[in-house]
């Protein structure tokens, strides 16, 4: 798919709209509806979950936000990006795409001023050029009266909303928020990849205070990166917050991945809870819900992965989490106790390994539940920083991605360990902030403790790191 791709998002609203100005149509509909798309790409969600929360159909602004995010996610999945083809550039691994979204809304005066902010926010998280255009919907039956809303009386009393994915960070968030005296209602978005099964592993921790919203793609996807999925998550979280009459939305993700300072901008992994994206989306929520103060925050923005894992009191719960966002053939792979596997090759898995090894839970290599544990099993003497194959960088998980990610984090951690804060600020201005600097000081120590942990059984790892960082004898021992 070359050039700009133009998508029209259609739902019950705007069903009579002309499609002349678009290349493709994305139809967003309810799970229960049998929709004839006539060549359109169909994505469904369990609209009834939101209707039950509101006690009626959600307000038009809520519905429009959710369906816009779903349509954006579908467009993201439908346009293949491919590699850049730049063999010597280890940071720019992906092509940027040109994607235009046309969306009819019943209160166009509210949405049109947000086009620029949405363009910026979604382009930032996707590493693409997204352009939104809102037009009047053709729907004589839909009112723009938002109404007061309301929520189901059977739900537990709550003071906030928190996202829960079944991963380490969201599990850590569940315990952290409880320790802080918060009582959130948890929201899970089940968009496949075995998310629903993962979340059910933790039913015992929520006592009914968790809802799952199903999303189903009824089209053949061409792209696997899914960088826009957090827009979908946040839209559902905002909808639930409005329904429950609360303003705080918590999205727990460790600061190393959230801030993304230790990786270049082109890496094949997520920065979907980056502070800049969160700020931008909060500005959008301010305009969409002017009578409220719906705001997203990340309680772990200054936490390393190891510190997040330490928030989880029960070691056994850790083994039921999955961090890997693209397990492919691992989706059904489990050990004898039913614990899911992680691929061990991608950037999120790399950060997971570092977090588990550095936690207080004393987790050993055979308890990491990895399909591939390169730290332990790979012969690092067979490669060098100059000879790492980059031919399959377009994949999100591979030996190349693992090694390039390891190199990037080693280089960053080494600079943090051996430079002053003033020296670091010249290349990473955000490290002037003491909290951010403290985050990466802690992470750099975790990085080198991880090397020491695995090098005890795999000496080729120590030799590789020593050569890669041009260290003197025994200098590595001083870096943790």
């Amino acid at each position: 798919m070359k050039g700009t791709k133009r998508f029209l998002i259609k739902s019950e609203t705007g069903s009579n709209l002309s499609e002349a100005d678009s290349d493709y149509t994305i139809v967003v509909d309810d799970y229960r509806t049998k929709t004839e798309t006539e060549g359109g790409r169909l994505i469904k969600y369990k609209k009834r979950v939101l209707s039950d929360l509101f006690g009626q159909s959600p307000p038009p602004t809520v519905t429009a936000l959710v369906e816009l995010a779903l349509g954006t996610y579908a467009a993201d999945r439908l346009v293949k990006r491919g590699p850049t083809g730049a063999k010597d550039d280890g940071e720019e691994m992906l092509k940027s795409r040109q994607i235009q979204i046309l969306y009819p809304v019943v209160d166009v005066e509210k949405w049109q001023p947000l086009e620029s902010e949405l363009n910026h926010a979604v382009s930032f998280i996707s590493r693409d050029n997204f352009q939104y255009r809102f037009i009047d919907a053709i729907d004589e039956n839909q009112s723009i009266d938002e109404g007061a809303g309301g929520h189901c009386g059977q739900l537990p009393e709550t003071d906030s909303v928190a996202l829960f994915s079944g991963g380490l960070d969201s599990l850590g968030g569940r315990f952290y928020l409880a320790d802080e005296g918060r009582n959130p209602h948890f929201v899970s978005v089940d968009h496949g990849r075995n998310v629903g099964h993962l979340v059910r592993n933790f039913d015992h921790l929520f006592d009914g205070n968790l809802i799952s919203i199903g999303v189903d793609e009824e089209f053949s996807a061409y792209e696997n990166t899914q960088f826009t999925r957090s827009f979908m998550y946040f839209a559902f979280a905002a909808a639930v917050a409005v329904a429950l009459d609360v303003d705080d939305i918590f999205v727990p993700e460790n600061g190393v991945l959230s801030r993304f300072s230790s990786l270049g901008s082109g890496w094949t992994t997520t920065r979907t809870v980056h502070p800049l994206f969160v700020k931008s989306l909060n500005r959008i929520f301010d305009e969409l819900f002017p009578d409220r103060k719906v705001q997203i925050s990340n309680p772990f923005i200054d936490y390393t992965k190891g510190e997040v894992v330490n928030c989880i009191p029960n070691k056994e719960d850790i083994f039921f989490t999955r961090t890997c966002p693209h397990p492919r053939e691992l989706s059904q792979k489990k050990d004898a106790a039913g614990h899911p596997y992680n691929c061990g090759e991608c950037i999120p898995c790399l950060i997971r390994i570092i977090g588990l090894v550095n936690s207080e839970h004393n987790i050993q290599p055979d308890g990491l539940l990895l399909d591939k544990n390169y730290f332990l099993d790979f012969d690092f003497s067979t490669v060098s920083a100059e000879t790492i194959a980059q031919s399959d960088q377009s994949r999100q998980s591979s030996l190349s991605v693992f090694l390039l990610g390891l190199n990037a984090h080693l280089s960053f951690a080494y600079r943090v360990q051996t430079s002053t804060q003033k020296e670091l600020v010249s290349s990473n201005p955000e490290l002037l902030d003491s909290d951010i600097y403290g985050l990466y000081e802690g992470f750099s120590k975790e990085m080198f403790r991880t090397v020491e942990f695995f090098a005890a059984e795999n000496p080729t790892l120590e030799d590789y790191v020593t050569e890669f960082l041009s260290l003197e004898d025994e200098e590595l021992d001083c870096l943790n």
Side-chain angles (χ1 to χ4, degrees):
M1 284 181 137
K2 297 181 180 180
T4 300
K5 299 304 172 186
R6 301 174 299 171
F7 291 90
L8 168 67
I9 299 176
K10 294 177 66 173
S11 62
E12 296 169 330
T13 300
S15 58
N16 298 318
L17 186 71
S18 170
E19 302 177 23
D21 291 335
S22 64
D23 297 318
Y24 307 97
T25 299
I26 295 171
V27 178
V28 184
D29 211 339
D30 182 33
Y31 249 91
R32 298 169 295 175
T33 304
K34 293 184 179 180
T35 303
E36 297 294 333
T37 61
E38 297 181 359
R41 281 72 174 169
L42 177 63
I43 184 167
K44 291 186 174 184
Y45 70 109
K46 290 188 177 179
K47 193 170 184 178
R48 182 175 178 178
V49 175
L50 297 182
S51 298
D52 288 346
L53 288 173
F54 280 95
Q56 58 188 358
S57 293
T61 297
V62 169
T63 299
L65 174 63
V66 166
E67 297 191 354
L68 174 68
L70 285 164
T72 297
Y73 174 73
D76 184 9
R77 298 277 281 146
L78 285 163
V79 182
K80 182 70 176 175
R81 61 170 80 241
T84 62
K87 299 292 184 182
D88 298 325
D89 189 345
E91 291 190 349
E92 291 300 329
M93 297 185 183
L94 299 173
K95 286 182 179 177
S96 293
R97 302 163 298 174
Q98 307 288 325
I99 298 176
Q100 293 181 357
I101 301 288
L102 178 65
Y103 186 43
V105 289
V106 295
D107 44 356
V108 68
E109 294 82 6
K110 175 182 286 189
W111 285 93
Q112 282 182 336
L114 299 177
E115 289 176 349
S116 178
E117 189 76 61
L118 273 166
N119 294 345
H120 168 75
V122 178
S123 296
F124 176 77
I125 60 168
S126 66
R127 302 83 179 283
D128 297 309
N129 182 6
F130 268 81
Q131 295 182 336
Y132 290 88
R133 183 159 66 95
F134 297 102
I135 59 175
D136 274 314
I138 303 173
D139 191 336
E140 299 177 355
N141 299 318
Q142 187 165 0
S143 168
I144 63 172
D145 180 17
E146 295 292 336
H151 58 82
C152 176
Q154 296 179 349
L155 288 174
E157 193 67 27
T158 185
D159 60 14
S160 54
V161 166
L163 287 172
F164 185 80
S165 66
L168 274 175
D169 290 348
S170 63
L171 181 62
R174 182 258 181 255
F175 291 106
Y176 172 88
L177 292 170
D179 289 343
E180 291 293 305
R182 302 305 300 255
N183 185 28
H185 194 75
F186 291 87
V187 177
S188 173
V189 181
D190 183 1
H191 59 102
R193 304 200 173 200
N194 221 24
V195 172
H197 178 77
L198 284 175
V199 171
R200 286 192 292 274
N201 288 332
F202 302 101
D203 283 346
H204 62 287
L205 297 176
F206 294 98
D207 193 25
N209 200 20
L210 181 149
I211 60 170
S212 178
I213 303 174
V215 172
D216 185 23
E217 307 167 15
E218 296 195 3
F219 55 81
S220 296
Y222 298 103
E223 178 57 39
N224 291 320
T225 50
Q226 301 186 53
F227 291 152
T228 63
R229 64 185 181 273
S230 68
F231 181 27
M232 175 174 64
Y233 300 160
F234 295 163
F236 279 121
V240 175
V242 172
L244 299 181
D245 195 27
V246 298
D247 292 333
D248 293 327
I249 299 172
F250 296 111
V251 187
E253 181 169 289
N254 70 89
V256 175
L257 276 181
S258 297
R259 293 195 182 280
F260 222 79
S261 301
S262 56
L263 287 173
S265 62
W267 278 82
T268 55
T269 191
T270 179
R271 59 177 176 185
T272 48
V273 191
H274 193 285
L276 293 180
F277 176 60
V278 170
K279 286 181 180 179
S280 193
L281 208 54
N282 281 337
R283 287 193 289 266
I284 291 169
F285 289 169
D286 283 342
E287 297 301 319
L288 290 179
F289 309 109
D291 297 329
R292 314 184 58 87
K293 190 62 176 176
V294 176
Q295 293 285 285
I296 302 165
S297 63
N298 179 1
F300 290 147
I301 189 63
D302 294 319
Y303 278 53
T304 67
K305 193 80 165 190
E307 291 170 330
V308 169
V309 177
N310 287 340
C311 293
I312 304 170
N314 187 349
K315 184 177 179 179
E316 179 63 18
D317 286 332
I318 291 172
F319 299 133
F320 281 103
T321 64
R322 173 182 281 147
T323 299
C324 185
H326 35 75
R328 296 188 305 276
E329 71 276 4
L330 302 179
S331 62
Q332 303 299 326
K333 187 171 182 179
K334 306 177 183 66
D335 70 1
H339 303 134
Y341 275 71
N342 292 261
C343 77
E345 298 182 299
C346 64
I347 299 300
C349 279
L350 173 61
I351 301 301
R352 176 188 174 95
I353 294 167
I354 296 169
L356 291 176
V357 166
N358 285 274
S359 75
E360 299 169 353
H361 290 283
N362 191 31
I363 297 174
Q364 297 304 304
D366 58 357
L368 292 172
L369 296 170
L370 302 173
D371 186 56
K372 295 180 177 66
N373 187 346
Y374 291 125
F375 276 118
L376 194 63
D377 301 327
F378 182 68
D379 183 355
F380 285 87
S381 67
T382 62
V383 295
S384 68
E386 292 74 27
T387 60
I388 293 173
Q390 299 187 27
S391 59
D392 58 353
Q393 289 180 12
S394 61
R395 292 179 56 194
Q396 291 176 281
S397 60
S398 67
L399 175 59
S400 292
V401 170
F402 174 84
L403 291 173
L404 289 166
L406 174 63
N407 288 352
H409 285 104
L410 284 170
S411 296
F412 184 84
Y414 183 69
R415 291 200 307 273
V416 173
Q417 286 281 329
T418 59
S419 305
T420 65
Q421 184 179 11
K422 184 177 180 180
E423 290 170 336
L424 290 166
V425 166
S426 62
S427 57
N428 294 87
E430 69 173 355
L431 294 179
L432 187 62
D433 184 300
S434 59
D435 289 334
I436 301 175
Y437 179 67
L439 165 72
Y440 283 108
E441 270 196 317
F443 172 72
S444 67
K445 293 176 182 178
E446 290 184 0
M447 180 75 253
F448 288 111
R449 281 198 294 264
T450 301
V451 172
E452 180 184 38
F453 178 82
F454 287 107
E457 297 190 45
N458 184 1
T460 68
L461 172 61
E462 181 174 351
D463 294 340
Y464 175 84
V465 173
T466 299
E467 180 181 354
F468 172 66
L469 296 177
S470 301
L471 302 178
E472 300 294 334
D473 290 342
E474 299 182 355
E475 187 178 354
L476 182 61
D477 296 336
C478 302
L479 296 175
N480 52 49

